[in-house]
Amino acid sequence: MNINKEWHAALQVIDRIEKSGFEAVIVGGAVRDHLLQRKVNDVDVATSALPLEIKEIFSSTVDVGIEHGTVLVLDEGEPIEVTTYRTEGTYSDYRRPEEVKFVRNLEEDLQRRDFTINAMAFTKDGDIIDLYGGKEDIENKVIRAVGDPNVRFREDALRMLRAIRFGSQLGFTIEEKTLKAIQVDSDLIDFIANERIAMEMAKVWKSKFVYYGLQLLIESNLSKFLVGHFSDQLEHWRTFKAEKSEIGWAYLCLLNRQEMQDIVDFYRLSKKEKTFVRKTLNAFDELRQKWTAMDYFSNELEILETAYDFARWQNIALPFEKEEIHAVKNSLPIQAIDQLAISGNHLMSWTTRKSGPWIKVALDAAIIAVLNGYVENEEDKLKEWFLNDFINEG
């Protein structure tokens, strides 16, 4: 079996826990992804040992969520979250259990999980503990709630959106009763914090089957409670593909220009995400006219390539191929403002004028002149241009 460092560390943690007289297994998404032969991230361990017992077994731990049974173990080179088997009390707000009860039995722990494909365990010896048909559902490419789907979604309404996200990532269908339960309880998504919704949607944007995922979002009725006209604009997403979630937010904003601020506010976009959206949409608008040398200069390659993709996804005919963007940008005489041979100090030394907004105007004009080949990027040539052309034109 091909295992990564985190998986190996988890097995070492399990070995030490077992030698101390307790049970321990790898659980959750790591087991699912292992069976799917996907890259495994976040290898979590569940155990019959209580948090304080785990802290006695290992010398280096961090209490990352000890009130819910989770201790971070650092002894084996990779940080491994170890969580005590538990059951959860009633959910009065469709988000959080009112109480968590530690148990010594793995079956009780697995039955509280969301979907069968996430309710399996992997032992140190390589055996799969599968009490709810997770392996079969993986083979049949099905997302099915553990037990009664209405109960699962009324415990934590975010699970409804997680079903959509898994469908988008894996290309799995949602089992009939599970989908029906989502359709019935879709309005409960209003109880979930917008930040948690945004985290799930961010994973959808980076998934392999975005278009299919949005089809599920619409079919499940969840789209009615999210900002963005997904149903009206579904076809615009057919060829969408992204490796970064910022691209998804930017494309959603492009398709909803009139409600762009509502999208930013509802999904609580970060400053970095908002900047990416603004730059990409500006570059897209300029592309529809025709990019200038200044557009290539002032935008990162990623922004330019994303704007190009947006045009393609919008079926806008373009007179050049995407591969040419990199070549054009690299061919510019300068790549950044600090490569300009002059600065504001040069400009003031060549005139009697004091510092002011005019300096930025002049430097911007100098950059454009260099980019367009009107003047070489040399101090003496720029001085001549400044004194004879810029000042006279001004």
Side-chain angles (χ1 to χ4, degrees):
M1 179 180 67
N2 185 23
I3 61 176
N4 61 20
K5 292 181 179 179
E6 191 175 3
W7 189 284
H8 179 74
L11 294 178
Q12 295 295 106
V13 167
I14 289 172
D15 183 58
R16 291 182 61 178
I17 293 173
E18 289 182 343
K19 287 178 178 177
S20 297
F22 303 99
E23 292 180 8
V25 289
I26 295 173
V27 292
V31 181
R32 177 199 68 229
D33 290 339
H34 168 68
L35 291 175
L36 285 166
Q37 298 184 332
R38 300 173 78 229
K39 181 180 179 181
V40 175
N41 297 304
D42 301 325
V43 184
D44 298 326
V45 169
T47 180
S48 61
L50 299 174
L52 292 181
E53 292 170 334
I54 291 296
K55 290 170 67 69
E56 290 177 357
I57 295 171
F58 298 96
S59 60
S60 182
T61 63
V62 179
D63 297 347
V64 293
I66 196 167
E67 68 278 6
H68 295 109
T70 303
V71 175
L72 190 68
V73 174
L74 305 175
D75 289 45
E76 301 300 331
E78 296 288 329
I80 301 297
E81 284 193 2
V82 178
T83 303
T84 301
Y85 299 156
R86 69 192 191 193
T87 60
E88 297 169 342
T90 58
Y91 291 70
S92 60
D93 59 1
Y94 307 104
R95 292 176 293 178
R96 297 177 297 266
E98 292 184 354
E99 63 176 344
V100 171
K101 180 182 177 182
F102 300 143
V103 295
R104 299 287 190 177
N105 184 280
L106 174 62
E107 182 176 355
E108 290 185 77
D109 182 85
L110 294 179
Q111 71 183 8
R112 69 176 175 82
R113 296 178 182 268
D114 52 6
F115 306 110
T116 62
I117 61 174
N118 298 329
M120 295 177 287
F122 184 95
T123 71
K124 185 188 68 174
D125 297 327
D127 296 325
I128 301 293
I129 300 173
D130 179 18
L131 305 179
Y132 302 101
K135 288 178 68 175
E136 183 178 356
D137 283 341
I138 284 178
E139 291 170 2
N140 294 326
K141 299 185 176 181
V142 171
I143 297 167
R144 184 193 312 271
V146 173
D148 186 338
N150 293 104
V151 173
R152 294 286 83 79
F153 298 139
R154 291 171 187 176
E155 289 172 340
D156 183 355
L158 186 67
R159 288 170 172 168
M160 298 185 293
L161 194 54
R162 280 169 57 83
I164 306 303
R165 188 251 291 181
F166 286 128
S168 187
Q169 288 177 324
L170 304 175
F172 285 16
T173 59
I174 299 178
E175 180 265 335
E176 185 179 356
K177 290 183 180 179
T178 302
L179 179 60
K180 182 63 176 178
I182 298 175
Q183 292 169 336
V184 170
D185 287 335
S186 56
D187 61 317
L188 297 182
I189 201 69
D190 282 340
F191 286 91
I192 301 302
N194 291 31
E195 291 85 354
R196 295 181 74 197
I197 292 173
M199 287 175 65
E200 293 300 320
M201 290 303 297
K203 294 174 183 177
V204 170
W205 303 143
K206 296 186 294 181
S207 67
K208 186 176 181 180
F209 305 98
V210 178
Y211 177 75
Y212 172 63
L214 295 182
Q215 284 181 308
L216 292 177
L217 191 72
I218 295 165
E219 186 180 2
S220 68
N221 294 332
L222 287 171
S223 64
K224 297 177 182 179
F225 303 94
L226 305 182
V227 175
H229 300 287
F230 297 101
S231 182
D232 297 338
Q233 299 165 352
L234 179 61
E235 282 307 303
H236 289 294
W237 293 92
R238 184 175 286 276
T239 55
F240 176 90
K241 186 175 180 59
E243 294 183 358
K244 299 179 66 174
S245 60
E246 292 94 331
I247 297 175
W249 296 126
Y251 197 56
L252 184 63
C253 286
L254 176 69
L255 298 177
N256 297 272
R257 295 292 279 264
Q258 298 302 315
E259 293 87 17
M260 180 172 163
Q261 191 58 50
D262 293 336
I263 290 171
V264 169
D265 293 341
F266 181 84
Y267 296 104
R268 307 284 199 271
L269 299 192
S270 66
K271 183 177 179 180
K272 178 183 177 182
E273 289 167 336
K274 288 187 285 188
T275 298
F276 184 89
V277 169
R278 175 180 54 79
K279 286 185 174 182
T280 303
L281 266 57
N282 286 341
F284 172 82
D285 291 339
E286 294 301 323
L287 176 59
R288 301 192 68 175
Q289 303 301 316
K290 186 182 178 181
W291 279 337
T292 64
M294 192 63 177
D295 290 318
Y296 281 96
F297 173 81
S298 58
N299 287 296
E300 299 94 333
L301 180 64
E302 181 182 29
I303 296 293
L304 297 171
E305 291 183 335
T306 301
Y308 184 96
D309 287 337
F310 283 11
R312 286 297 194 209
W313 298 335
Q314 292 285 295
N315 294 316
I316 297 173
L318 297 171
F320 62 95
E321 297 299 322
K322 184 177 179 180
E323 291 73 20
E324 297 177 42
I325 298 174
H326 185 270
V328 172
K329 187 169 177 62
N330 276 353
S331 70
L332 297 176
I334 56 174
Q335 297 294 324
I337 190 171
D338 58 5
Q339 294 178 358
L340 190 66
I342 62 172
S343 66
N345 290 331
H346 288 98
L347 301 180
M348 287 189 292
S349 70
W350 297 337
T351 70
T352 58
R353 298 181 66 178
K354 296 180 180 179
S355 178
W358 70 271
I359 291 179
K360 183 180 184 308
V361 173
L363 289 175
D364 286 346
I367 290 172
I368 293 173
V370 169
L371 292 175
N372 289 328
Y374 300 147
V375 59
E376 294 181 41
N377 187 35
E378 298 177 7
E379 182 180 335
D380 58 337
K381 298 292 180 58
L382 284 164
K383 180 178 181 180
E384 181 181 354
W385 165 85
F386 174 74
L387 295 174
N388 296 329
D389 296 336
F390 180 78
I391 291 181
N392 289 338
E393 289 179 2

